[in-house]
Amino acid sequence: MTSFIIHFLLCNFLISGMIGVLFLVKKQFKKYLTSRTQYNLWFLLLGVMTVPFLPVSSNFSLFSWIPDFQNVTSPDNPASNTISALNTPVTAVNWMNDFSVSVSSQTPSVIRMILFGIWIIGMLAMILLVLKSSFRLRRIKKSALPLQNRNVHNLYHKCCKELNIVKDIPIYSTAFLTSPVMTGSIKPCIYLPIHLISDYKPEAMRYMLLHELQHYRHKDNIANYLMNLAGIVYWFNPLIWLALRSMRNDREIACDIDVLNILDSDQYQEYGYTLINFEEKISLTPFPFSSGLGGTVTQIQARILNIAAYQTPSGINKVRSVILFSIIAVFFLGITPVLTSYTAANERYAWDTSDKRIVDLDISLLYL
């Protein structure tokens, strides 16, 4: 396992580069990508981050089925074999594994053990922080009461019907939250702050309920588990923390846009005003497995700007989003074999002695 930590650290450099690619794509092609697609791009990164822990051989390559990338050479021409081998994607994949094996062999075992121990200790500390927030959320859930306000309850059922949600999602009220949140993946529940219920405004409450129900429709609470797991495992990489923060922000923007798709155009401004009016009341939820309306001031400002610039996406724009997403997904899939740790830990070089041109040379006479 101590050899794995060297390969894992090297993989972080490549993953960091892929994060940079995602930020660049989002910036350059923002007008061609729908908000939901921009959010879904981050799931490609989450998938890539699992690869260093998968027992996949580096001989796998996305391009191995293309004839031009095959090692098609004559067995009678050793030079052509060498040139072809150097140009195959598998060789490029093995380069990363060979490099990690080389670095690992040159790194003293004591240093590898120290690095591995620091990584484990960091993960344990992150787990404790997550558990602390989870216990806090659990106490709030125990103190919450079923929603009693009939007006809000009726409005909630209308919103569920508007989104074609047939499952009965329990809704509670609590005095220990500043913004609405939805939590639970198997048994999702919505928790509303009492101060929002006491200041009941039908339209504002409708917007907030629609936003929370969008989180339910897109299973965002499951995504919360994945993001927090990534934060625990990659706790030492600041670029991954930046990517996870951007992913959470893109998630809220995507839910905002989904709500706007339901509303009439003359209600867009009112939805933006709702965020502005509650900016001082709502804040970034400190709970790891929940999705809420809140966010930092900077995030809320970005969401308001997106709402102000919102236009109904055309069919062509949706097609462009699918094409760009597919291209990036193929690119990421083609790189993932480089991240595999199976070959890094188990790489062995077996010499092929079946070639008839190999002869035995007896050098014992030289020592007489």
Side-chain angles (χ1 to χ4, degrees):
M1 289 301 292
T2 56
S3 298
F4 160 78
I5 193 65
I6 300 298
H7 183 85
F8 179 57
L9 292 175
L10 292 176
C11 286
N12 270 265
F13 288 101
L14 186 57
I15 292 175
S16 298
M18 299 170 82
I19 292 174
V21 170
L22 280 180
F23 276 114
L24 182 63
V25 168
K26 282 165 52 64
K27 181 178 180 180
Q28 296 296 326
F29 300 99
K30 184 176 182 179
K31 63 179 181 180
Y32 300 116
L33 294 169
T34 62
S35 298
R36 182 59 57 179
T37 302
Q38 293 186 48
Y39 170 58
N40 290 336
L41 282 174
W42 294 113
F43 285 99
L44 297 177
L45 178 65
L46 292 180
V48 166
M49 291 165 64
T50 65
V51 176
F53 304 93
L54 299 178
V56 181
S57 173
S58 65
N59 290 327
F60 165 78
S61 175
L62 175 67
F63 307 104
S64 60
W65 59 275
I66 304 177
D68 291 342
F69 287 102
Q70 300 294 334
N71 185 10
V72 183
T73 57
S74 171
D76 297 328
N77 189 351
S80 65
N81 283 335
T82 303
I83 295 174
S84 177
L86 290 174
N87 290 325
T88 56
V90 173
T91 303
V93 169
N94 286 334
W95 175 87
M96 173 68 175
N97 292 321
D98 293 343
F99 181 68
S100 63
V101 170
S102 175
V103 173
S104 179
S105 63
Q106 296 179 19
T107 304
S109 58
V110 175
I111 295 180
R112 282 182 281 154
M113 290 180 63
I114 292 175
L115 292 175
F116 185 76
I118 293 174
W119 179 53
I120 295 297
I121 292 173
M123 285 197 298
L124 292 176
M126 292 299 300
I127 291 173
L128 289 177
L129 291 176
V130 171
L131 290 176
K132 180 180 178 181
S133 296
S134 299
F135 288 142
R136 181 184 173 191
L137 177 60
R138 186 176 180 182
R139 290 196 299 267
I140 292 176
K141 291 168 65 174
K142 286 185 176 181
S143 65
L145 298 174
L147 181 64
Q148 301 296 326
N149 190 298
R150 186 174 298 274
N151 293 328
V152 178
H153 216 283
N154 291 336
L155 181 60
Y156 168 68
H157 286 294
K158 290 181 181 178
C159 292
C160 290
K161 186 176 181 180
E162 191 173 2
L163 297 177
N164 297 319
I165 296 176
V166 296
K167 184 176 181 179
D168 185 20
I169 305 173
I171 183 168
Y172 297 89
S173 61
T174 176
F176 299 100
L177 287 176
T178 57
S179 65
V181 298
M182 171 173 282
T183 183
S185 56
I186 299 176
K187 296 180 179 180
C189 301
I190 294 178
Y191 295 86
L192 298 177
I194 289 180
H195 71 84
L196 294 182
I197 299 174
S198 60
D199 298 336
Y200 175 69
K201 296 179 181 179
E203 286 303 315
M205 182 62 70
R206 175 174 174 251
Y207 298 149
M208 287 185 287
L209 291 174
L210 287 175
H211 183 96
E212 296 306 316
L213 290 173
Q214 290 294 347
H215 285 302
Y216 168 77
R217 288 184 63 199
H218 295 285
K219 310 301 180 184
D220 286 337
N221 284 330
I222 297 178
N224 283 331
Y225 284 91
L226 299 177
M227 285 187 282
N228 282 283
L229 179 60
I232 291 172
V233 176
Y234 290 86
W235 60 268
F236 56 89
N237 192 327
L239 287 179
I240 287 180
W241 282 99
L242 180 63
L244 293 176
R245 185 176 66 179
S246 181
M247 183 178 181
R248 291 185 176 93
N249 189 41
D250 287 346
R251 177 189 63 190
E252 297 305 318
I253 291 176
C255 284
D256 288 336
I257 300 304
D258 288 337
V259 173
L260 295 181
N261 289 333
I262 300 172
L263 304 178
D264 296 328
S265 57
D266 58 350
Q267 295 177 312
Y268 296 167
Q269 191 175 21
E270 295 179 8
Y271 183 79
Y273 284 149
T274 299
L275 291 181
I276 295 174
N277 292 334
F278 287 100
E279 182 176 344
E280 296 180 356
K281 297 179 181 180
I282 59 180
S283 59
L284 185 65
T285 174
F287 308 117
F289 305 123
S290 62
S291 302
L293 180 70
T296 64
V297 174
T298 302
Q299 290 173 339
I300 293 176
Q301 289 175 349
R303 290 166 60 185
I304 292 172
L305 291 176
N306 275 276
I307 293 171
Y310 172 75
Q311 292 181 349
T312 304
S314 62
I316 296 178
N317 200 31
K318 293 180 181 179
V319 172
R320 287 173 176 172
S321 290
V322 173
I323 293 175
L324 285 171
F325 182 87
S326 301
I327 293 174
I328 299 170
V330 170
F331 171 73
F332 273 41
L333 185 60
I335 291 181
T336 50
V338 184
L339 301 174
T340 56
S341 62
Y342 177 81
T343 51
N346 301 280
E347 195 71 43
R348 298 292 183 271
Y349 294 96
W351 297 95
D352 184 7
T353 59
S354 62
D355 199 311
K356 296 180 180 180
R357 290 171 298 188
I358 297 178
V359 296
D360 294 329
L361 178 63
D362 186 4
I363 62 174
S364 60
L365 297 177
L366 298 176
Y367 297 97
L368 294 178

